[in-house]
Amino acid sequence: DADVTQTPRNRITKTGKRIMLECSQTKGHDRMYWYRQDPGLGLRLIYYSFDVKDINKGEISDGYSVSRQAQAKFSLSLESAIPNQTALYFCATSDSQVPATGELFFGEGSRLTVL
Amino acid sequence: DAKTTQPNSMESNEEEPVHLPCNHSTISGTDYIHWYRQLPSQGPEYVIHGLTSNVNNRMASLAIAEDRKSSTLILHRATLRDAAVYYCILRDEGLVPRQLTFGSGTQLTVLP
């Protein structure tokens, strides 16, 4: 099983619908991140959390919200999806014990299409 | 925030060395240089990191300029499986990450 699991892997929805992407990890890491990837733009940080109940905005947080329900779970919500939120979303984790040298571990991605 | 600059794309022949450059002219003394790669249809994966000295691991080598304003990821013998997007990012010890956004990276094409 993957260390960082994202569900769903693929989702097609309509404009205005509420969508939740979920991420769970078995790495035991305290830090978790949500990224968005668009073609040719690399990965941009949406939100990050350094511990349960710690939530921080990233570069492109507008239109998104997150919840850190437990150390192992970090959910990304789109309250009212719009077509320009069509993208590939990645969850990642890291260990605060090695903030600068530790690896970021990524999930396999969730492809979201908003019609 | 410190930024990195990479070429959009590079090509290499199979079994030849590849040198992927990264410029980070505004790097601070506490920034570590990290490299990740993203294979098609996968999430990014860690390749290597360093601070000042050159580093080697089973995947690659990292050469860091003496002034630390640039670095080069070296794949000693490229294989077709090395075709990926390679990202260079900077990370530091601070409680608030100074840079967690990946740029557009370098698309490496390996020719058979």
Side-chain angles (χ1 to χ4, degrees):
Chain A
D1 289 342
D3 293 323
V4 183
T5 303
Q6 294 183 228
T7 56
R9 294 292 311 282
N10 287 285
R11 181 72 183 269
I12 299 174
T13 191
K14 294 182 179 179
T15 297
K17 294 292 187 181
R18 183 177 187 274
I19 295 297
M20 178 179 287
L21 305 180
E22 300 191 13
C23 177
S24 63
Q25 53 113 347
T26 58
K27 300 292 294 182
H29 290 166
D30 45 359
R31 297 185 172 187
M32 297 187 73
Y33 313 84
W34 274 105
Y35 286 89
R36 167 179 173 159
Q37 186 172 39
D38 297 280
L41 292 181
L43 286 87
R44 293 181 290 169
L45 184 64
I46 307 172
Y47 272 97
Y48 61 98
S49 169
F50 282 176
D51 205 344
V52 177
K53 299 190 178 176
D54 175 70
I55 301 295
N56 304 281
K57 292 183 178 181
E59 181 184 1
I60 52 164
S61 58
D62 287 349
Y64 301 95
S65 63
V66 291
S67 174
R68 185 81 184 269
Q69 309 94 320
Q71 189 183 51
K73 295 184 183 298
F74 194 34
S75 301
L76 176 72
S77 293
L78 289 68
E79 295 302 325
S80 180
I82 57 177
N84 75 2
Q85 290 178 315
T86 293
L88 185 56
Y89 292 85
F90 287 101
C91 174
T93 74
S94 70
D95 185 353
S96 64
Q97 296 301 307
V98 281
T101 59
E103 299 175 36
L104 288 165
F105 290 86
F106 285 84
E108 294 183 333
S110 295
R111 185 169 297 280
L112 176 66
T113 302
V114 183
L115 302 176
Chain B
D1 289 348
K3 301 292 185 185
T4 62
T5 305
Q6 301 175 253
N8 289 332
S9 62
M10 292 185 65
E11 275 188 1
S12 173
N13 293 319
E14 195 175 11
E15 298 190 0
E16 291 187 356
V18 182
H19 291 232
L20 298 166
C22 181
N23 287 318
H24 28 78
S25 59
T26 59
I27 190 171
S28 77
T30 57
D31 283 329
Y32 284 76
I33 302 159
H34 283 245
W35 283 81
Y36 284 75
R37 73 179 186 180
Q38 186 174 18
L39 301 171
S41 302
Q42 295 186 26
E45 64 177 353
Y46 168 83
V47 177
I48 199 167
H49 76 272
L51 182 62
T52 57
S53 302
N54 295 344
V55 183
N56 300 296
N57 67 19
R58 64 175 179 83
M59 291 181 70
S61 295
L62 176 60
I64 301 172
E66 193 168 340
D67 63 5
R68 298 204 336 120
K69 293 185 177 182
S70 65
S71 61
T72 302
L73 179 70
I74 302 167
L75 306 179
H76 295 285
R77 289 185 66 199
T79 69
L80 296 178
R81 288 176 295 180
D82 291 324
V85 178
Y86 287 79
Y87 299 98
C88 166
I89 65 170
L90 304 178
R91 298 182 64 195
D92 71 2
E93 299 274 354
L95 290 178
V96 178
R98 292 176 59 231
Q99 184 186 35
L100 279 177
T101 292
F102 289 51
S104 55
T106 297
Q107 173 70 61
L108 175 65
T109 300
V110 180
L111 304 174

